[in-house]
Amino acid sequence: MEEALLEIIAALDEGETVDAVWLDKLVRRYNRAAHDGTRQVAKRRLLPYYLRVRSEEPERWAAWNVAPETDAALVRLLQAKPRRTASGVATITVLTKPWPCSGSCVFCPSDIRMPKSYLSDEPACQRAERCWFDPYLQVTARLRALTDMGHVTDKVELIVLGGTWSDYPEAYQRWFIGELFRALNASDEERARTAAERRAWHETQGLPRERNELAEAAADIQQRINAGELTYNEAWGIVYGDRTLCGHDSAALSHPEILTEDRRADRGLPLRNDGERDLSWDALFALHRANEGAAKRVVGLVVETRPDLVTEQSCRTLRALGCTKVQIGIQSLNDDLLAANGRAITSARIAQAMALLRRYGFKNHIHFMVNLLGATPEGDLADYRRLITDPAFLPDEVKLYPCCLVESAHLTDCFEAGRWRPYTEEELVGVLVADVLATPPWTRISRMIRDISATDILAGNKKTNLRQIVEAAVEEAGEPIREIRSREISVEGAEVENLALETIVYQTATTEEHFLQWVTPAGKIAGFCRLSLPDWAAVEQCPDAPEAPHLPEDACGLPVPGEAMIREVHVYGKVAALHTTGEGTQHLGLGRKLVEEACTQARAAGYAALNVISAVGTRAYYRSLGFEDAGPYQKRPLS
């Protein structure tokens, strides 16, 4: 390994053309020389080895005599999956533990090893299960993996998945978020030591984490779920639970096999986390303050929930936790389709949720599904048009993906009865192509498939490259794409002097939104700001804010009439470490100029102050721009 690295370093020093093809030839040459059929050298092992020597073996590192420019070029050459941080931040996805769900969607998977709607074969789920759903261990594992791939992890966006966040007890929410911050606040040495102690603790509890063992332990109960004998909540009560927690106590009482704690342990299912401890709000806020100056700062915190659980109180709680973006499963705006699919919500309630999220400054990330039970391609097209044109909605981001059939979903009965069929590929691609082309420039289509294994899908799209198929069809159509993800500058960067600052104004039901964007001559986007100018007369039509006695007084602040809100500032390009310039467009003043222009536009519109829904790790940055702490927000006077 060392010999191969030294050859790469020498080639870089001599100015040779060292690219992926050159590297592939070097790796094959070294492996052929081994003569034993083993792969002695691999790209995925070269970088972790190099980084370990650089950080842990100063004498050997000094002997290699690596110049700074060579070091940067080598890391860039060996970096795996460069798009992982192309959006400007390192994204870490974690999963909450299995928990009863208050919804009953017909298309939703019911894997008893996972939170509702997730499947144990999904990559993030596999990682969570290996970590016993311990948030500290999940963050530690992802940091290590991203670092080994050569990614900068100074700025982290935390994405918390697990079905419906607001269904979890508030004490669990505080503890879970606190552990995420605790892991990021720790030094590398402290994090490694604490993670080792936690793994040892979980192991002493006799809690397995190997997939085969877990699958065998859950097989009987999962078979009963798949057969329709048990709901997910009933099964949860049997396997893990206190009946009073499952939300369907009367149904659970009919199942005498609800387990005592000892019998649950006998099943070998580890998902009841006895390591949880109560964490007070004050203790969580202390972890927040520590993160403001930590080496790894939280620049975004995302949770997912349902529209019917978006309330004044839940918004205040989310803000106190440090949340900046909320994913909500809308799936459709057609009330008949929502009812047929067991959603138990209406488009009017969805509109109310969107208005509340904007009122509190959250970015909204909408889940929208094609091919639901009862849907048609024509109806899907009309449904999506309403989402992106009706002022009651107009999302910031969309997960636009097709419904597919998995064994544990109630949709299997509809499929077998001939009441639901998956769209043909031509129908599906046709709908998605039209949706992409219709999407406005302030909306980002984040993904088009769920990470569900093809082996779990009984019917429906199994192609993991569906987005590439859609993009190829869009390109063939020859029409311009305006949605954000297709325009991101990604890893290639842009010349700052060639960027132009544009503003797109659009009206929602309760705000005037100004989408400020840095664009290249070719229309690529290098950064943007979402400035929200509330129509306070419309905002006041939202339900009155109830008192929130469970929150500390300093966490209950809310922007008042006459104040505007920055909901998001984002600069794209390769991640630059904190306090450095980097190779892309980060740390070159683009974000600062966006904020100053937002202040100018808000002042011109007659607003007296500008709030920002800053992430915990960006508070210091906004203070440097003249913002002052104001409860869960930061505020800058505009007079």
Side-chain angles (χ1 to χ4, degrees):
M1 196 78 72
E2 181 174 7
E3 186 178 346
L5 277 171
L6 290 174
E7 186 172 338
I8 296 170
I9 292 167
L12 290 170
D13 285 341
E14 293 169 8
E16 294 184 27
T17 301
V18 180
D19 55 16
V21 175
W22 185 96
L23 179 62
D24 184 60
K25 290 179 180 178
L26 176 137
V27 168
R28 286 191 280 111
R29 172 159 51 84
Y30 272 90
N31 288 329
R32 282 199 303 269
H35 298 301
D36 60 359
T38 60
R39 289 178 57 82
Q40 299 294 322
V41 177
K43 177 182 174 180
R44 64 183 178 85
R45 291 200 293 266
L46 282 169
L47 186 58
Y49 177 80
Y50 175 79
L51 295 175
R52 184 181 61 77
V53 171
R54 190 176 70 178
S55 63
E56 299 176 11
E57 300 184 46
E59 292 184 3
R60 178 182 290 189
W61 168 249
W64 287 1
N65 193 29
V66 182
E69 57 273 18
T70 299
D71 175 72
L74 188 144
V75 171
R76 187 165 57 246
L77 173 70
L78 299 179
Q79 186 185 62
K81 301 181 179 178
R83 280 200 60 90
R84 283 286 167 85
T85 51
S87 64
V89 298
T91 298
I92 293 180
T93 300
V94 297
L95 230 71
T96 50
K97 66 182 180 180
W99 193 256
C101 178
S102 54
S104 56
C105 309
V106 300
F107 50 79
C108 191
S110 296
D111 187 332
I112 195 58
R113 289 160 55 189
M114 292 292 133
K116 191 72 165 71
S117 88
Y118 287 89
L119 292 165
S120 52
D121 283 338
E122 296 181 63
C125 298
Q126 293 182 41
R127 294 193 297 264
E129 197 170 47
R130 287 197 298 269
C131 294
W132 298 279
F133 296 91
D134 185 318
Y136 194 103
L137 291 180
Q138 291 183 69
V139 167
T140 300
R142 288 308 290 159
L143 284 175
R144 183 171 59 249
L146 288 168
T147 300
D148 285 350
M149 288 190 289
H151 294 282
V152 176
T153 57
D154 292 5
K155 293 178 288 188
V156 173
E157 180 183 44
L158 292 167
I159 300 179
V160 182
L161 302 180
T164 306
W165 172 261
S166 301
D167 272 341
Y168 288 85
E170 187 181 287
Y172 178 79
Q173 295 178 26
R174 287 198 306 270
W175 172 81
F176 193 93
I177 297 299
E179 291 307 291
L180 300 178
F181 277 94
R182 194 186 309 279
L184 291 168
N185 291 347
S187 66
D188 293 344
E189 295 77 13
E190 180 186 359
R191 190 182 307 108
R193 181 175 63 254
T194 302
E197 292 170 353
R198 290 193 175 216
R199 283 192 294 270
W201 182 88
H202 285 291
E203 289 167 353
T204 62
Q205 305 307 301
L207 304 179
R209 62 171 184 165
E210 296 304 321
R211 290 176 55 74
N212 292 341
E213 189 175 357
L214 288 163
E216 183 179 354
D220 291 344
I221 201 81
Q222 188 62 53
Q223 186 174 6
R224 295 181 64 188
I225 294 173
N226 295 349
E229 297 175 15
L230 295 172
T231 67
Y232 176 90
N233 287 3
E234 291 166 350
W236 186 93
I238 292 169
V239 176
Y240 310 116
D242 176 343
R243 282 170 292 177
T244 62
L245 296 178
C246 72
H248 288 263
D249 199 31
S250 60
L253 286 172
S254 66
H255 297 283
E257 68 271 54
I258 285 181
L259 304 181
T260 65
E261 185 169 334
D262 290 341
R263 291 181 64 202
R264 281 200 301 272
D266 291 342
R267 287 282 178 101
L269 290 161
L271 308 175
R272 181 174 174 271
N273 192 336
D274 291 319
E276 295 165 22
R277 297 289 182 268
D278 187 38
L279 184 73
S280 69
W281 281 111
D282 286 340
L284 175 60
F285 295 159
L287 291 168
H288 285 175
R289 289 191 295 272
N291 189 255
E292 292 179 20
K296 301 186 185 303
R297 299 181 192 175
V298 176
V299 299
L301 174 57
V302 188
V303 303
E304 60 176 358
T305 190
R306 294 197 317 276
D308 52 306
L309 296 180
V310 176
T311 64
E312 293 274 4
Q313 182 165 309
S314 69
C315 285
R316 292 182 179 213
T317 301
L318 289 173
R319 193 72 278 270
L321 291 168
C323 180
T324 56
K325 182 191 295 184
V326 179
Q327 297 190 32
I328 51 175
I330 286 177
Q331 319 310 350
S332 174
L333 295 176
N334 182 310
D335 288 352
D336 291 336
L337 282 185
L338 291 170
N341 285 271
R343 293 293 292 160
I345 56 172
T346 64
S347 59
R349 183 62 182 90
I350 292 169
Q352 185 185 80
M354 297 286 284
L356 282 170
L357 291 177
R358 283 200 177 93
R359 178 180 185 179
Y360 281 87
F362 292 108
K363 281 78 70 178
N364 56 71
H365 192 169
I366 303 310
H367 299 189
F368 214 70
M369 292 186 75
V370 172
N371 198 186
L372 288 168
L373 174 65
T376 64
E378 297 76 20
D380 281 339
L381 290 172
D383 205 9
Y384 188 76
R385 293 306 176 279
R386 183 183 177 194
L387 176 72
I388 58 173
T389 60
D390 188 328
F393 309 107
L394 305 184
D396 301 325
E397 290 190 67
V398 180
K399 286 184 180 178
L400 177 62
Y401 49 84
C403 181
C404 58
L405 183 66
V406 295
E407 186 177 9
S408 57
H410 296 310
L411 189 62
T412 53
D413 296 335
C414 303
F415 176 67
E416 291 169 358
R419 294 172 49 218
W420 178 84
R421 70 164 181 89
Y423 290 169
T424 66
E425 182 173 316
E426 182 179 4
E427 289 173 320
L428 176 60
V429 171
V431 170
L432 295 177
V433 166
D435 288 348
V436 168
L437 291 173
T439 302
W442 60 79
T443 298
R444 184 179 192 269
I445 300 178
S446 59
R447 64 188 315 163
M448 288 188 187
I449 59 167
R450 278 275 306 269
D451 280 333
I452 298 176
S453 168
T455 58
D456 287 325
I457 297 175
L458 302 180
N461 174 70
K462 296 185 179 184
K463 293 188 175 180
T464 57
N465 66 333
L466 177 62
R467 185 166 199 141
Q468 286 71 36
I469 295 171
V470 170
E471 288 174 345
V474 167
E475 185 175 350
E476 186 176 340
E479 297 182 37
I481 306 174
R482 300 181 299 163
E483 68 94 12
I484 294 174
R485 190 180 185 275
S486 300
R487 298 188 295 125
E488 294 168 5
I489 59 171
S490 188
V491 296
E492 65 265 23
E495 297 294 331
V496 174
E497 58 270 20
N498 293 332
L499 297 175
L501 182 55
E502 299 177 352
T503 300
I504 301 172
V505 179
Y506 61 100
Q507 299 288 335
T508 75
T510 55
T511 64
E512 179 177 281
E513 299 288 323
H514 289 212
F515 184 74
L516 289 64
Q517 59 174 353
W518 287 109
V519 293
T520 70
K524 291 287 187 179
I525 186 169
F528 65 85
C529 170
R530 298 186 189 275
L531 170 63
S532 191
L533 305 179
D535 174 356
W536 284 98
V539 167
E540 292 305 320
Q541 294 175 16
C542 292
D544 291 337
E547 294 299 321
H550 64 294
L551 290 176
E553 184 176 349
D554 61 355
C556 294
L558 179 65
V560 298
E563 297 180 353
M565 176 75 74
I566 288 178
R567 298 191 297 112
E568 183 174 16
V569 175
H570 196 119
V571 176
Y572 287 108
K574 186 176 294 186
V575 171
L578 290 168
H579 315 302
T580 67
T581 298
E583 303 170 40
T585 51
Q586 292 201 330
H587 297 188
L588 297 177
L590 296 181
R592 178 183 294 269
K593 292 176 182 177
L594 285 168
V595 171
E596 292 303 327
E597 178 61 22
C599 288
T600 298
Q601 294 187 17
R603 185 184 302 111
Y607 289 83
L610 180 61
N611 295 277
V612 60
I613 184 170
S614 52
V616 168
T618 62
R619 289 173 180 169
Y621 170 73
Y622 284 106
R623 291 185 193 118
S624 74
L625 299 183
F627 288 81
E628 298 178 352
D629 296 351
Y633 301 89
Q634 291 180 288
K635 182 180 302 186
R636 175 171 159 177
L638 296 178
S639 56

